[in-house]
Amino acid sequence: AQSVTQLDSHVSVSEGTPVLLRCNYSSSYSPSLFWYVQHPNKGLQLLLKYTSAATLVKGINGFEAEFKKSETSFHLTKPSAHMSDAAEYFCVVSEYGRGSTLGRLYFGRGTQLTVWP
Amino acid sequence: GAVVSQHPSWVICKSGTSVKIECRSLDFQATTMFWYRQFPKQSLMLMATSNEGSKATYEQGVEKDKFLINHASLTLSTLTVTSAHPEDSSFYICSARGRRELSYEQYFGPGTRLTVT
């Protein structure tokens, strides 16, 4: 069975400082993992996805995530936060591998990122 | 490309009435669409999966007769909340899965906020 745990419901950082959003997963198979961002009253936008091609995945807007099988983690990072990064972030696991969203998606509870000026 | 729209973006209705929400893939064909429900400060919960031309598959605990889903074409799925009650108030998000040329990616709509008074 697949499941996702986002370890922090809320993260606050100052503009220009690093961002770390933590995610642990549980999967019976070699998973596909995703990070989505949701701005207020907007739909979800894909930031990046793990497809098993490389453990360090680069996404849009300077975000990246590292897949660590031994730790069953897929933490999202950004070296320098921007005000526009303030949003809700969801870690997601798919029951299919290789970056596929063919199957059902399992969502974490979300992490609200606040960026202070 | 790969844009999904939802209409309306928000709706207020009286208890006991029915509300229809549309989900459209604007520039691609989607054989499968998904309907999610999101409570405030919580994650997305999959309600049902609909395939074009066939009956929707509902998740456990979701009332089929209350949440009617129709996927009549490759670009349109509708969710009708019948005899709505205040506890049905929520944010409803759809996603549409593209075909092979889009790597079967899921694209999310902007969501519809339903308030039942």
Side-chain angles (χ1 to χ4, degrees):
Chain A
Q2 285 74 32
S3 67
V4 176
T5 302
Q6 290 183 245
L7 299 167
D8 307 292
S9 60
H10 199 169
V11 170
S12 295
V13 300
S14 298
E15 191 174 22
T17 63
V19 175
L20 170 63
L21 305 183
R22 298 182 294 167
C23 172
N24 286 99
Y25 70 91
S26 173
S27 176
S28 303
Y29 311 103
S30 180
S32 289
L33 293 159
F34 311 80
W35 275 98
Y36 285 87
V37 61
Q38 183 183 32
H39 291 275
N41 296 313
K42 296 286 184 66
L44 276 72
Q45 180 185 18
L46 179 65
L47 277 179
L48 50 80
K49 62 180 177 181
Y50 169 69
T51 64
S52 76
T55 56
L56 183 61
V57 183
K58 295 187 182 299
I60 61 173
N61 301 334
F63 285 95
E64 61 182 38
E66 186 171 7
F67 173 72
K68 292 186 176 180
K69 187 175 181 179
S70 60
E71 299 176 9
T72 61
S73 69
F74 191 57
H75 301 333
L76 181 70
T77 61
K78 183 174 181 178
S80 177
H82 192 273
M83 295 293 290
S84 61
D85 296 328
E88 187 86 19
Y89 291 80
F90 292 97
C91 183
V92 180
V93 63
S94 167
E95 59 189 359
Y96 283 84
R98 300 182 183 177
S100 171
T101 56
L102 268 173
R104 175 180 174 172
L105 300 182
Y106 296 83
F107 287 77
R109 296 193 63 176
T111 298
Q112 178 67 45
L113 176 64
T114 299
V115 182
W116 300 103
Chain B
V3 177
V4 176
S5 70
Q6 283 185 239
H7 178 81
S9 55
W10 60 270
V11 58
I12 301 173
C13 71
K14 292 186 177 180
S15 187
T17 62
S18 295
V19 174
K20 180 184 285 188
I21 302 170
E22 292 186 349
C23 176
R24 292 182 185 271
S25 55
L26 297 184
D27 49 4
F28 68 100
Q29 293 184 331
T31 54
T32 304
M33 289 186 172
F34 303 85
W35 285 96
Y36 296 86
R37 184 173 180 177
Q38 185 181 27
F39 290 103
K41 305 298 182 183
Q42 295 191 27
S43 188
L44 279 71
M45 290 177 48
L46 180 64
M47 298 175 65
T49 302
S50 73
N51 292 296
E52 185 263 338
S54 62
K55 291 184 178 180
T57 302
Y58 290 81
E59 294 298 305
Q60 192 172 8
V62 177
E63 299 176 60
K64 301 178 184 180
D65 296 331
K66 181 163 195 61
F67 298 99
L68 300 179
I69 292 172
N70 184 279
H71 192 163
S73 77
L74 288 172
T75 60
L76 174 64
S77 176
T78 60
L79 167 68
T80 301
V81 182
T82 62
S83 186
H85 288 94
E87 57 265 30
D88 298 325
S89 299
S90 192
F91 195 53
Y92 292 88
I93 299 175
C94 73
S95 71
R97 188 165 66 204
R99 289 179 160 177
R100 183 178 179 181
E101 59 269 22
L102 290 175
S103 301
Y104 303 111
E105 192 75 53
Q106 281 193 39
Y107 299 93
F108 288 83
T112 296
R113 184 163 300 284
L114 170 63
T115 301
V116 185
T117 61

